[in-house]
């Protein structure tokens, strides 16, 4: 996402007013707004390769600090250590602090923004991300959730164990999870396989979960993704995961 093509669209309610007779004569969009938006994006990401920005805004919307439409894309991005590929997102009616931006201040959101988009994670990306604090925290939370729902490793008190490392393998409609766990006295590998599907737009369902070396195939268990998430598609294939949906970004 590199070229920026501004075009006039319908007006929306005022948010923040900036006095300027002609934005294009002053070059506010290419000289101020686009660099500020790019800087804000890069401040949210560890890596952004092939970043493109498609910004569509009319003079009056911009004077009010409102961006009617923004589309972003990146061939590769890294968010908090998690590698993402083929990222394409778009958002509408974004309210920003334009008055401060034109005075050289960082761009900030003034209201929550629902962002729609899609992305892909490959097996190689996942392996490169497995040590990220965000993914590690998610895997620890998953272990606690399974224990709480009675689907944890049999005969184990999770509170006595610490996760040292983990690996996730993407299969066709299923995940293989391998945890290296330890106590003060010993270290062991816990491995399980589970199917995964969308129960609804904010709920994942794990099904046919089975721990290696155990005969029990556990009943389905759900995971709530939260109010700020609405997924339309989760496609898990061998070696790759595709996700399409909406997530709300908060100021």
């Amino acid at each position: 996402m590199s070229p920026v093509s501004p075009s006039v669209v319908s007006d929306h309610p005022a948010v923040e007013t900036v006095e300027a007779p002609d934005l294009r004569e002053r070059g506010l969009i290419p000289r101020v707004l686009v660099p500020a938006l790019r800087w804000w994006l890069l401040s949210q990401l560890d890596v952004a390769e092939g970043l493109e920005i498609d910004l569509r805004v009319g003079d009056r919307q911009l004077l009010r600090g409102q961006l009617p439409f923004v589309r972003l894309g990146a061939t590769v991005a890294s968010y908090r250590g998690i590698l993402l590929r083929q990222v394409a997102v778009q958002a509408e009616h974004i309210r920003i602090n334009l008055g401060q931006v034109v005075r050289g201040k960082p761009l900030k959101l003034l209201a929550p923004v629902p962002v729609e988009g899609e992305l892909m994670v490959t097996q190689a990306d996942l392996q490169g991300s497995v040590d990220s604090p965000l993914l590690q925290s998610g895997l620890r939370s998953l272990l606690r959730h399974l224990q709480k729902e009675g689907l944890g490793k049999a005969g184990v008190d999770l509170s006595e164990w610490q996760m040292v490392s983990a690996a996730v393998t993407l299969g066709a409609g299923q995940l293989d999870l391998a945890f290296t766990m330890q106590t003060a006295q010993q270290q062991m590998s816990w491995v399980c396989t589970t199917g995964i599907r969308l129960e609804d737009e904010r709920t994942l369902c794990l099904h046919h979960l089975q721990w290696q070396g155990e005969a029990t195939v556990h009943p389905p268990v759900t995971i709530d993704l939260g109010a700020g998430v609405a997924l339309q598609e989760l496609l898990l294939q061998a070696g790759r995961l595709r996700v399409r949906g909406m997530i709300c970004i908060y100021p």
Side-chain angles (χ1 to χ4, degrees):
M1 305 177 178
S2 39
V4 176
S5 36
S7 60
V8 177
V9 296
S10 60
D11 289 333
H12 295 284
V15 176
E16 180 181 351
T17 301
V18 177
E19 295 182 3
D22 190 324
L23 297 176
R24 289 183 176 82
E25 287 182 5
R26 291 177 50 183
L28 186 63
I29 293 175
R31 289 196 303 106
V32 178
L33 186 56
V34 173
L37 184 57
R38 185 180 292 272
W39 180 90
W40 181 84
L41 287 169
L42 294 176
S43 73
Q44 307 299 307
L45 300 170
D46 307 314
V47 174
E49 297 179 7
L51 180 63
E52 296 181 356
I53 302 174
D54 179 10
L55 174 63
R56 303 177 191 179
V57 57
D59 291 357
R60 283 174 289 182
Q61 288 97 358
L62 186 53
L63 287 171
R64 295 166 181 159
Q66 183 132 13
L67 307 181
F69 179 87
V70 176
R71 179 185 290 125
L72 307 169
T75 53
V76 178
S78 174
Y79 176 70
R80 295 174 64 182
I82 297 181
L83 291 170
L84 310 170
R85 201 169 292 272
Q86 297 178 14
V87 181
V89 300
Q90 66 181 48
E92 299 179 351
H93 314 318
I94 304 169
R95 296 163 54 192
I96 64 169
N97 60 330
L98 181 64
Q100 294 178 324
V101 170
V102 296
R103 292 192 291 272
K105 301 295 184 181
L107 184 146
K108 294 180 180 179
L109 300 178
L110 299 180
V113 180
V115 176
E116 297 182 354
E118 57 184 304
L119 56 85
M120 181 178 73
V121 178
T122 67
Q123 183 64 54
D125 296 333
L126 196 55
Q127 290 305 115
S129 308
V130 74
D131 291 330
S132 73
L134 184 61
L135 188 54
Q136 289 278 310
S137 175
L139 291 170
R140 289 189 183 95
S141 295
L142 175 61
L143 283 174
R144 290 193 295 269
H145 185 64
L146 294 178
Q147 182 84 7
K148 178 183 175 183
E149 298 295 323
L151 279 68
K153 183 87 170 148
V156 165
D157 182 355
L158 186 60
S159 65
E160 298 176 354
W161 292 82
Q162 179 181 358
M163 190 178 82
V164 178
S165 63
V168 182
T169 303
L170 304 174
Q174 72 175 37
L175 295 174
D176 294 332
L177 306 171
F179 303 94
T180 300
M181 309 291 293
Q182 71 176 15
T183 65
Q185 291 78 33
Q186 60 179 321
Q187 185 173 99
M188 294 181 63
S189 292
W190 301 356
V191 180
C192 75
T193 299
T194 180
I196 183 170
R197 65 171 183 262
L198 277 179
E199 188 82 354
D200 56 49
E201 63 182 16
R202 59 173 283 182
T203 309
L204 291 179
C205 177
L206 303 183
H207 58 92
H208 296 91
L209 187 147
Q210 185 174 21
W211 290 96
Q212 189 178 82
E214 298 180 13
T216 302
V217 178
H218 292 283
V221 62
T222 58
I223 300 173
D224 187 354
L225 299 175
V229 176
L231 299 184
Q232 277 78 55
E233 182 181 39
L234 186 147
L235 180 60
L236 186 55
Q237 301 171 311
R240 67 180 57 191
L241 170 67
R242 287 189 176 274
V243 180
R244 179 172 59 85
M246 183 280 297
I247 185 169
C248 194
I249 298 178
Y250 297 92

